PDB file of all heavy atoms in Angstrom:
ATOM      1  N   VAL A  21       3.102   2.558 -29.780  1.00 98.00           N
ATOM      2  CA  VAL A  21       3.734   1.985 -30.974  1.00 98.00           C
ATOM      3  C   VAL A  21       2.669   1.900 -32.062  1.00 98.00           C
ATOM      4  O   VAL A  21       1.767   1.072 -32.009  1.00 98.00           O
ATOM      5  CB  VAL A  21       4.321   0.580 -30.664  1.00 98.00           C
ATOM      6  CG1 VAL A  21       4.984  -0.001 -31.911  1.00 98.00           C
ATOM      7  CG2 VAL A  21       5.300   0.667 -29.500  1.00 98.00           C
ATOM      8  N   GLY A  22       2.783   2.800 -33.054  1.00 98.00           N
ATOM      9  CA  GLY A  22       1.803   2.828 -34.144  1.00 98.00           C
ATOM     10  C   GLY A  22       0.993   4.110 -34.094  1.00 98.00           C
ATOM     11  O   GLY A  22       0.553   4.535 -33.018  1.00 98.00           O
ATOM     12  N   GLY A  24      -1.736   4.672 -36.258  1.00 98.00           N
ATOM     13  CA  GLY A  24      -3.025   4.525 -36.916  1.00 98.00           C
ATOM     14  C   GLY A  24      -4.106   5.026 -35.969  1.00 98.00           C
ATOM     15  O   GLY A  24      -3.800   5.543 -34.882  1.00 98.00           O
ATOM     16  N   PRO A  25      -5.380   4.852 -36.353  1.00 98.00           N
ATOM     17  CA  PRO A  25      -6.469   5.325 -35.497  1.00 98.00           C
ATOM     18  C   PRO A  25      -6.354   4.820 -34.050  1.00 98.00           C
ATOM     19  O   PRO A  25      -6.608   5.577 -33.108  1.00 98.00           O
ATOM     20  CB  PRO A  25      -7.712   4.770 -36.197  1.00 98.00           C
ATOM     21  CG  PRO A  25      -7.310   4.721 -37.646  1.00 98.00           C
ATOM     22  CD  PRO A  25      -5.867   4.351 -37.657  1.00 98.00           C
ATOM     23  N   ALA A  26      -5.946   3.561 -33.853  1.00 98.00           N
ATOM     24  CA  ALA A  26      -5.876   3.038 -32.470  1.00 98.00           C
ATOM     25  C   ALA A  26      -4.864   3.824 -31.659  1.00 98.00           C
ATOM     26  O   ALA A  26      -5.123   4.175 -30.499  1.00 98.00           O
ATOM     27  CB  ALA A  26      -5.486   1.561 -32.492  1.00 98.00           C
ATOM     28  N   PHE A  49       5.679   6.141 -31.672  1.00 98.00           N
ATOM     29  CA  PHE A  49       6.666   5.530 -32.561  1.00 98.00           C
ATOM     30  C   PHE A  49       5.940   5.008 -33.794  1.00 98.00           C
ATOM     31  O   PHE A  49       4.935   4.296 -33.671  1.00 98.00           O
ATOM     32  CB  PHE A  49       7.389   4.366 -31.874  1.00 98.00           C
ATOM     33  CG  PHE A  49       8.290   4.818 -30.774  1.00 98.00           C
ATOM     34  CD1 PHE A  49       7.829   4.885 -29.472  1.00 98.00           C
ATOM     35  CD2 PHE A  49       9.597   5.205 -31.043  1.00 98.00           C
ATOM     36  CE1 PHE A  49       8.651   5.337 -28.446  1.00 98.00           C
ATOM     37  CE2 PHE A  49      10.434   5.649 -30.029  1.00 98.00           C
ATOM     38  CZ  PHE A  49       9.957   5.709 -28.718  1.00 98.00           C
ATOM     39  N   GLU A  50       6.459   5.345 -34.963  1.00 98.00           N
ATOM     40  CA  GLU A  50       5.813   4.926 -36.219  1.00 98.00           C
ATOM     41  C   GLU A  50       6.883   4.426 -37.178  1.00 98.00           C
ATOM     42  O   GLU A  50       7.862   5.113 -37.421  1.00 98.00           O
ATOM     43  CB  GLU A  50       5.038   6.114 -36.820  1.00 98.00           C
ATOM     44  CG  GLU A  50       4.529   5.899 -38.230  1.00 98.00           C
ATOM     45  CD  GLU A  50       3.648   4.660 -38.390  1.00 98.00           C
ATOM     46  OE1 GLU A  50       2.641   4.534 -37.693  1.00 98.00           O
ATOM     47  OE2 GLU A  50       4.000   3.806 -39.232  1.00 98.00           O
ATOM     48  N   LYS A  51       6.686   3.234 -37.704  1.00 98.00           N
ATOM     49  CA  LYS A  51       7.749   2.672 -38.569  1.00 98.00           C
ATOM     50  C   LYS A  51       7.830   3.372 -39.933  1.00 98.00           C
ATOM     51  O   LYS A  51       8.881   3.352 -40.566  1.00 98.00           O
ATOM     52  CB  LYS A  51       7.581   1.168 -38.720  1.00 98.00           C
ATOM     53  CG  LYS A  51       6.487   0.728 -39.639  1.00 98.00           C
ATOM     54  CD  LYS A  51       6.614  -0.756 -39.891  1.00 98.00           C
ATOM     55  CE  LYS A  51       5.529  -1.197 -40.857  1.00 98.00           C
ATOM     56  NZ  LYS A  51       5.565  -2.613 -41.148  1.00 98.00           N
ATOM     57  N   LEU A  52       6.754   3.983 -40.376  1.00 98.00           N
ATOM     58  CA  LEU A  52       6.783   4.660 -41.682  1.00 98.00           C
ATOM     59  C   LEU A  52       7.130   6.147 -41.478  1.00 98.00           C
ATOM     60  O   LEU A  52       6.944   6.686 -40.395  1.00 98.00           O
ATOM     61  CB  LEU A  52       5.422   4.520 -42.373  1.00 98.00           C
ATOM     62  CG  LEU A  52       5.046   3.071 -42.738  1.00 98.00           C
ATOM     63  CD1 LEU A  52       3.621   3.019 -43.277  1.00 98.00           C
ATOM     64  CD2 LEU A  52       6.019   2.489 -43.752  1.00 98.00           C
ATOM     65  N   GLY A  57      -1.458   5.378 -40.308  1.00 98.00           N
ATOM     66  CA  GLY A  57      -1.750   3.961 -40.548  1.00 98.00           C
ATOM     67  C   GLY A  57      -2.698   3.742 -41.711  1.00 98.00           C
ATOM     68  O   GLY A  57      -2.528   4.312 -42.798  1.00 98.00           O
ATOM     69  N   LEU A  58      -3.713   2.924 -41.481  1.00 98.00           N
ATOM     70  CA  LEU A  58      -4.625   2.559 -42.572  1.00 98.00           C
ATOM     71  C   LEU A  58      -5.524   3.713 -43.019  1.00 98.00           C
ATOM     72  O   LEU A  58      -6.161   3.618 -44.066  1.00 98.00           O
ATOM     73  CB  LEU A  58      -5.498   1.374 -42.155  1.00 98.00           C
ATOM     74  CG  LEU A  58      -4.844  -0.005 -42.188  1.00 98.00           C
ATOM     75  CD1 LEU A  58      -5.770  -1.055 -41.565  1.00 98.00           C
ATOM     76  CD2 LEU A  58      -4.497  -0.422 -43.623  1.00 98.00           C
ATOM     77  N   GLY A  62      -4.948   2.537 -46.185  1.00 98.00           N
ATOM     78  CA  GLY A  62      -5.960   1.495 -46.365  1.00 98.00           C
ATOM     79  C   GLY A  62      -7.247   2.069 -46.921  1.00 98.00           C
ATOM     80  O   GLY A  62      -7.740   1.634 -47.968  1.00 98.00           O
ATOM     81  N   VAL A  63      -7.772   3.088 -46.249  1.00 98.00           N
ATOM     82  CA  VAL A  63      -9.040   3.707 -46.657  1.00 98.00           C
ATOM     83  C   VAL A  63      -8.962   4.084 -48.138  1.00 98.00           C
ATOM     84  O   VAL A  63      -7.952   4.619 -48.612  1.00 98.00           O
ATOM     85  CB  VAL A  63      -9.324   4.943 -45.777  1.00 98.00           C
ATOM     86  CG1 VAL A  63     -10.502   5.746 -46.320  1.00 98.00           C
ATOM     87  CG2 VAL A  63      -9.588   4.528 -44.335  1.00 98.00           C
ATOM     88  N   HIS A  67     -12.769   7.964 -50.489  1.00 98.00           N
ATOM     89  CA  HIS A  67     -13.477   8.162 -49.207  1.00 98.00           C
ATOM     90  C   HIS A  67     -12.736   9.199 -48.353  1.00 98.00           C
ATOM     91  O   HIS A  67     -12.370   8.911 -47.216  1.00 98.00           O
ATOM     92  CB  HIS A  67     -13.574   6.843 -48.438  1.00 98.00           C
ATOM     93  CG  HIS A  67     -14.578   5.892 -48.983  1.00 98.00           C
ATOM     94  ND1 HIS A  67     -14.734   4.599 -48.544  1.00 98.00           N
ATOM     95  CD2 HIS A  67     -15.506   6.053 -49.963  1.00 98.00           C
ATOM     96  CE1 HIS A  67     -15.690   4.001 -49.218  1.00 98.00           C
ATOM     97  NE2 HIS A  67     -16.177   4.860 -50.086  1.00 98.00           N
ATOM     98  N   VAL A  70     -13.624   9.886 -44.630  1.00 98.00           N
ATOM     99  CA  VAL A  70     -13.218   8.942 -43.577  1.00 98.00           C
ATOM    100  C   VAL A  70     -11.882   9.368 -42.980  1.00 98.00           C
ATOM    101  O   VAL A  70     -11.613   9.216 -41.800  1.00 98.00           O
ATOM    102  CB  VAL A  70     -13.118   7.504 -44.167  1.00 98.00           C
ATOM    103  CG1 VAL A  70     -12.618   6.519 -43.122  1.00 98.00           C
ATOM    104  CG2 VAL A  70     -14.455   7.065 -44.732  1.00 98.00           C
ATOM    105  N   VAL A  98      10.733   5.007 -37.286  1.00 97.00           N
ATOM    106  CA  VAL A  98      11.396   4.205 -36.242  1.00 97.00           C
ATOM    107  C   VAL A  98      10.541   2.940 -36.039  1.00 97.00           C
ATOM    108  O   VAL A  98       9.396   3.036 -35.596  1.00 97.00           O
ATOM    109  CB  VAL A  98      11.484   4.969 -34.908  1.00 97.00           C
ATOM    110  CG1 VAL A  98      12.169   4.104 -33.851  1.00 97.00           C
ATOM    111  CG2 VAL A  98      12.214   6.300 -35.078  1.00 97.00           C
ATOM    112  N   GLU A  99      11.128   1.817 -36.387  1.00 97.00           N
ATOM    113  CA  GLU A  99      10.380   0.566 -36.256  1.00 97.00           C
ATOM    114  C   GLU A  99      10.744  -0.107 -34.934  1.00 97.00           C
ATOM    115  O   GLU A  99      11.903  -0.471 -34.716  1.00 97.00           O
ATOM    116  CB  GLU A  99      10.681  -0.364 -37.428  1.00 97.00           C
ATOM    117  CG  GLU A  99       9.872  -1.648 -37.353  1.00 97.00           C
ATOM    118  CD  GLU A  99       9.971  -2.512 -38.597  1.00 97.00           C
ATOM    119  OE1 GLU A  99      10.497  -2.037 -39.632  1.00 97.00           O
ATOM    120  OE2 GLU A  99       9.537  -3.666 -38.525  1.00 97.00           O
ATOM    121  N   ILE A 100       9.744  -0.255 -34.070  1.00 97.00           N
ATOM    122  CA  ILE A 100      10.002  -0.923 -32.786  1.00 97.00           C
ATOM    123  C   ILE A 100      10.159  -2.420 -33.070  1.00 97.00           C
ATOM    124  O   ILE A 100       9.390  -3.022 -33.820  1.00 97.00           O
ATOM    125  CB  ILE A 100       8.840  -0.658 -31.798  1.00 97.00           C
ATOM    126  CG1 ILE A 100       8.717   0.857 -31.508  1.00 97.00           C
ATOM    127  CG2 ILE A 100       9.028  -1.438 -30.514  1.00 97.00           C
ATOM    128  CD1 ILE A 100       9.932   1.513 -30.899  1.00 97.00           C
ATOM    129  N   ALA A 119      -0.041  -0.591 -30.563  1.00 98.00           N
ATOM    130  CA  ALA A 119      -1.173  -0.276 -31.445  1.00 98.00           C
ATOM    131  C   ALA A 119      -0.665  -0.340 -32.878  1.00 98.00           C
ATOM    132  O   ALA A 119      -0.890   0.572 -33.667  1.00 98.00           O
ATOM    133  CB  ALA A 119      -1.710   1.122 -31.103  1.00 98.00           C
ATOM    134  N   TYR A 120       0.044  -1.440 -33.161  1.00 98.00           N
ATOM    135  CA  TYR A 120       0.757  -1.476 -34.449  1.00 98.00           C
ATOM    136  C   TYR A 120      -0.031  -2.165 -35.563  1.00 98.00           C
ATOM    137  O   TYR A 120       0.529  -2.449 -36.628  1.00 98.00           O
ATOM    138  CB  TYR A 120       2.151  -2.116 -34.265  1.00 98.00           C
ATOM    139  CG  TYR A 120       2.175  -3.564 -33.858  1.00 98.00           C
ATOM    140  CD1 TYR A 120       2.226  -4.586 -34.793  1.00 98.00           C
ATOM    141  CD2 TYR A 120       2.166  -3.918 -32.513  1.00 98.00           C
ATOM    142  CE1 TYR A 120       2.264  -5.912 -34.423  1.00 98.00           C
ATOM    143  CE2 TYR A 120       2.194  -5.244 -32.126  1.00 98.00           C
ATOM    144  CZ  TYR A 120       2.245  -6.240 -33.087  1.00 98.00           C
ATOM    145  OH  TYR A 120       2.274  -7.558 -32.712  1.00 98.00           O
ATOM    146  N   GLY A 121      -1.337  -2.398 -35.349  1.00 98.00           N
ATOM    147  CA  GLY A 121      -2.174  -2.863 -36.429  1.00 98.00           C
ATOM    148  C   GLY A 121      -1.909  -4.305 -36.845  1.00 98.00           C
ATOM    149  O   GLY A 121      -1.180  -5.048 -36.180  1.00 98.00           O
ATOM    150  N   THR A 123      -1.329  -5.370 -40.386  1.00 96.00           N
ATOM    151  CA  THR A 123      -1.230  -5.232 -41.842  1.00 96.00           C
ATOM    152  C   THR A 123       0.050  -5.840 -42.395  1.00 96.00           C
ATOM    153  O   THR A 123       0.438  -5.547 -43.533  1.00 96.00           O
ATOM    154  CB  THR A 123      -1.282  -3.736 -42.241  1.00 96.00           C
ATOM    155  OG1 THR A 123      -0.208  -3.074 -41.578  1.00 96.00           O
ATOM    156  CG2 THR A 123      -2.577  -3.091 -41.862  1.00 96.00           C
ATOM    157  N   VAL A 146      -4.044  -3.115 -52.327  1.00 98.00           N
ATOM    158  CA  VAL A 146      -4.425  -1.879 -51.623  1.00 98.00           C
ATOM    159  C   VAL A 146      -3.177  -1.031 -51.359  1.00 98.00           C
ATOM    160  O   VAL A 146      -3.166   0.179 -51.598  1.00 98.00           O
ATOM    161  CB  VAL A 146      -5.150  -2.203 -50.291  1.00 98.00           C
ATOM    162  CG1 VAL A 146      -5.315  -0.950 -49.437  1.00 98.00           C
ATOM    163  CG2 VAL A 146      -6.501  -2.860 -50.540  1.00 98.00           C
ATOM    164  N   ASP A 184     -13.902  -2.275 -51.939  1.00 98.00           N
ATOM    165  CA  ASP A 184     -12.948  -1.200 -52.300  1.00 98.00           C
ATOM    166  C   ASP A 184     -12.175  -1.612 -53.546  1.00 98.00           C
ATOM    167  O   ASP A 184     -12.016  -0.830 -54.499  1.00 98.00           O
ATOM    168  CB  ASP A 184     -11.913  -0.973 -51.175  1.00 98.00           C
ATOM    169  CG  ASP A 184     -12.451  -0.133 -50.032  1.00 98.00           C
ATOM    170  OD1 ASP A 184     -13.583   0.373 -50.132  1.00 98.00           O
ATOM    171  OD2 ASP A 184     -11.720   0.024 -49.027  1.00 98.00           O
ATOM    172  N   TYR A 350      -6.856  -9.521 -43.406  1.00 97.00           N
ATOM    173  CA  TYR A 350      -5.458  -9.181 -43.118  1.00 97.00           C
ATOM    174  C   TYR A 350      -4.978 -10.074 -41.969  1.00 97.00           C
ATOM    175  O   TYR A 350      -5.774 -10.735 -41.305  1.00 97.00           O
ATOM    176  CB  TYR A 350      -5.352  -7.709 -42.711  1.00 97.00           C
ATOM    177  CG  TYR A 350      -5.379  -6.718 -43.865  1.00 97.00           C
ATOM    178  CD1 TYR A 350      -6.348  -6.788 -44.869  1.00 97.00           C
ATOM    179  CD2 TYR A 350      -4.444  -5.695 -43.938  1.00 97.00           C
ATOM    180  CE1 TYR A 350      -6.364  -5.866 -45.912  1.00 97.00           C
ATOM    181  CE2 TYR A 350      -4.463  -4.754 -44.972  1.00 97.00           C
ATOM    182  CZ  TYR A 350      -5.431  -4.852 -45.951  1.00 97.00           C
ATOM    183  OH  TYR A 350      -5.452  -3.941 -46.971  1.00 97.00           O
ATOM    184  N   GLY A 400      -6.665  -1.391 -30.831  1.00 98.00           N
ATOM    185  CA  GLY A 400      -6.895  -1.481 -32.292  1.00 98.00           C
ATOM    186  C   GLY A 400      -6.870  -2.895 -32.826  1.00 98.00           C
ATOM    187  O   GLY A 400      -7.197  -3.855 -32.140  1.00 98.00           O
ATOM    188  N   TRP A 401      -6.484  -2.989 -34.092  1.00 98.00           N
ATOM    189  CA  TRP A 401      -6.577  -4.286 -34.781  1.00 98.00           C
ATOM    190  C   TRP A 401      -5.689  -5.343 -34.145  1.00 98.00           C
ATOM    191  O   TRP A 401      -6.015  -6.511 -34.162  1.00 98.00           O
ATOM    192  CB  TRP A 401      -6.215  -4.098 -36.270  1.00 98.00           C
ATOM    193  CG  TRP A 401      -7.410  -3.717 -37.099  1.00 98.00           C
ATOM    194  CD1 TRP A 401      -8.569  -3.150 -36.643  1.00 98.00           C
ATOM    195  CD2 TRP A 401      -7.584  -3.898 -38.511  1.00 98.00           C
ATOM    196  NE1 TRP A 401      -9.436  -2.949 -37.690  1.00 98.00           N
ATOM    197  CE2 TRP A 401      -8.858  -3.395 -38.836  1.00 98.00           C
ATOM    198  CE3 TRP A 401      -6.770  -4.408 -39.530  1.00 98.00           C
ATOM    199  CZ2 TRP A 401      -9.361  -3.410 -40.144  1.00 98.00           C
ATOM    200  CZ3 TRP A 401      -7.266  -4.412 -40.833  1.00 98.00           C
ATOM    201  CH2 TRP A 401      -8.550  -3.921 -41.138  1.00 98.00           C
ATOM    202  N   GLY A 408     -13.152  -4.388 -37.911  1.00 97.00           N
ATOM    203  CA  GLY A 408     -13.689  -3.199 -37.270  1.00 97.00           C
ATOM    204  C   GLY A 408     -13.353  -1.934 -38.039  1.00 97.00           C
ATOM    205  O   GLY A 408     -12.259  -1.777 -38.575  1.00 97.00           O
ATOM    206  N   VAL A 409     -14.346  -1.059 -38.113  1.00 98.00           N
ATOM    207  CA  VAL A 409     -14.165   0.220 -38.799  1.00 98.00           C
ATOM    208  C   VAL A 409     -13.512   1.210 -37.837  1.00 98.00           C
ATOM    209  O   VAL A 409     -13.281   0.897 -36.667  1.00 98.00           O
ATOM    210  CB  VAL A 409     -15.522   0.769 -39.333  1.00 98.00           C
ATOM    211  CG1 VAL A 409     -16.074  -0.123 -40.420  1.00 98.00           C
ATOM    212  CG2 VAL A 409     -16.520   0.914 -38.206  1.00 98.00           C
ATOM    213  N   ILE A 410     -13.252   2.417 -38.333  1.00 98.00           N
ATOM    214  CA  ILE A 410     -12.525   3.387 -37.514  1.00 98.00           C
ATOM    215  C   ILE A 410     -13.337   3.771 -36.266  1.00 98.00           C
ATOM    216  O   ILE A 410     -12.774   3.921 -35.181  1.00 98.00           O
ATOM    217  CB  ILE A 410     -12.134   4.602 -38.373  1.00 98.00           C
ATOM    218  CG1 ILE A 410     -11.033   4.155 -39.351  1.00 98.00           C
ATOM    219  CG2 ILE A 410     -11.655   5.764 -37.505  1.00 98.00           C
ATOM    220  CD1 ILE A 410     -10.653   5.150 -40.401  1.00 98.00           C
ATOM    221  N   THR A 413     -12.852   1.073 -33.759  1.00 98.00           N
ATOM    222  CA  THR A 413     -11.470   1.150 -33.279  1.00 98.00           C
ATOM    223  C   THR A 413     -11.353   2.299 -32.266  1.00 98.00           C
ATOM    224  O   THR A 413     -10.679   2.179 -31.243  1.00 98.00           O
ATOM    225  CB  THR A 413     -10.510   1.365 -34.467  1.00 98.00           C
ATOM    226  OG1 THR A 413     -10.629   0.233 -35.340  1.00 98.00           O
ATOM    227  CG2 THR A 413      -9.067   1.498 -34.030  1.00 98.00           C
TER     228      THR A 413
HETATM  229  P1  FAD B 501      -3.410   0.646 -38.428  1.00 73.45           P
HETATM  230  O1  FAD B 501      -4.289   1.680 -39.007  1.00 73.45           O
HETATM  231  O2  FAD B 501      -2.913  -0.422 -39.313  1.00 73.45           O
HETATM  232  O3  FAD B 501      -2.169   1.398 -37.736  1.00 73.45           O
HETATM  233  C1  FAD B 501      -1.051   0.714 -37.249  1.00 73.45           C
HETATM  234  C2  FAD B 501       0.186   1.599 -37.362  1.00 73.45           C
HETATM  235  O4  FAD B 501       1.287   0.953 -36.713  1.00 73.45           O
HETATM  236  C3  FAD B 501       0.633   1.833 -38.810  1.00 73.45           C
HETATM  237  O5  FAD B 501       0.881   3.206 -39.014  1.00 73.45           O
HETATM  238  C4  FAD B 501       1.922   1.024 -38.931  1.00 73.45           C
HETATM  239  O6  FAD B 501       2.835   1.564 -39.869  1.00 73.45           O
HETATM  240  C5  FAD B 501       2.465   1.116 -37.503  1.00 73.45           C
HETATM  241  N1  FAD B 501       3.404   0.046 -37.151  1.00 73.45           N
HETATM  242  C6  FAD B 501       3.332  -1.262 -37.474  1.00 73.45           C
HETATM  243  N2  FAD B 501       4.371  -1.946 -36.944  1.00 73.45           N
HETATM  244  C7  FAD B 501       5.124  -1.047 -36.272  1.00 73.45           C
HETATM  245  C8  FAD B 501       6.328  -1.152 -35.519  1.00 73.45           C
HETATM  246  N3  FAD B 501       6.938  -2.333 -35.332  1.00 73.45           N
HETATM  247  N4  FAD B 501       6.865  -0.023 -34.991  1.00 73.45           N
HETATM  248  C9  FAD B 501       6.253   1.185 -35.164  1.00 73.45           C
HETATM  249  N5  FAD B 501       5.098   1.324 -35.867  1.00 73.45           N
HETATM  250  C10 FAD B 501       4.542   0.227 -36.402  1.00 73.45           C
HETATM  251  N6  FAD B 501     -12.615   1.830 -41.656  1.00 73.45           N
HETATM  252  C11 FAD B 501     -13.548   2.784 -41.847  1.00 73.45           C
HETATM  253  O7  FAD B 501     -14.164   3.231 -40.870  1.00 73.45           O
HETATM  254  N7  FAD B 501     -13.814   3.284 -43.093  1.00 73.45           N
HETATM  255  C12 FAD B 501     -13.154   2.855 -44.201  1.00 73.45           C
HETATM  256  O8  FAD B 501     -13.429   3.325 -45.319  1.00 73.45           O
HETATM  257  C13 FAD B 501     -12.151   1.865 -44.025  1.00 73.45           C
HETATM  258  N8  FAD B 501     -11.447   1.413 -45.089  1.00 73.45           N
HETATM  259  C14 FAD B 501     -10.517   0.433 -44.915  1.00 73.45           C
HETATM  260  C15 FAD B 501      -9.844  -0.047 -46.035  1.00 73.45           C
HETATM  261  C16 FAD B 501      -8.921  -1.060 -45.907  1.00 73.45           C
HETATM  262  C17 FAD B 501      -8.216  -1.592 -47.127  1.00 73.45           C
HETATM  263  C18 FAD B 501      -8.665  -1.619 -44.638  1.00 73.45           C
HETATM  264  C19 FAD B 501      -7.668  -2.740 -44.508  1.00 73.45           C
HETATM  265  C20 FAD B 501      -9.328  -1.156 -43.497  1.00 73.45           C
HETATM  266  C21 FAD B 501     -10.258  -0.115 -43.631  1.00 73.45           C
HETATM  267  N9  FAD B 501     -10.959   0.383 -42.541  1.00 73.45           N
HETATM  268  C22 FAD B 501     -11.907   1.358 -42.714  1.00 73.45           C
HETATM  269  C23 FAD B 501     -10.685  -0.103 -41.172  1.00 73.45           C
HETATM  270  C24 FAD B 501      -9.699   0.839 -40.428  1.00 73.45           C
HETATM  271  O9  FAD B 501      -8.661   1.163 -41.299  1.00 73.45           O
HETATM  272  C25 FAD B 501      -9.197   0.180 -39.137  1.00 73.45           C
HETATM  273  O10 FAD B 501     -10.289   0.062 -38.245  1.00 73.45           O
HETATM  274  C26 FAD B 501      -8.109   0.999 -38.415  1.00 73.45           C
HETATM  275  O11 FAD B 501      -7.175   1.563 -39.288  1.00 73.45           O
HETATM  276  C27 FAD B 501      -7.334   0.117 -37.410  1.00 73.45           C
HETATM  277  O12 FAD B 501      -6.439   0.960 -36.731  1.00 73.45           O
HETATM  278  P2  FAD B 501      -5.070   0.477 -36.048  1.00 73.45           P
HETATM  279  O13 FAD B 501      -4.467   1.718 -35.514  1.00 73.45           O
HETATM  280  O14 FAD B 501      -5.329  -0.659 -35.160  1.00 73.45           O
HETATM  281  O15 FAD B 501      -4.166  -0.106 -37.245  1.00 73.45           O
END
Side-chain angles (χ1 to χ4, degrees):
V21 181
F49 291 92
E50 170 56 57
K51 75 169 182 180
L52 296 174
L58 282 172
V63 170
H67 285 173
V70 176
V98 180
E99 182 171 349
I100 299 300
Y120 65 92
T123 58
V146 169
D184 280 355
Y350 281 48
W401 273 21
V409 294
I410 290 172
T413 299

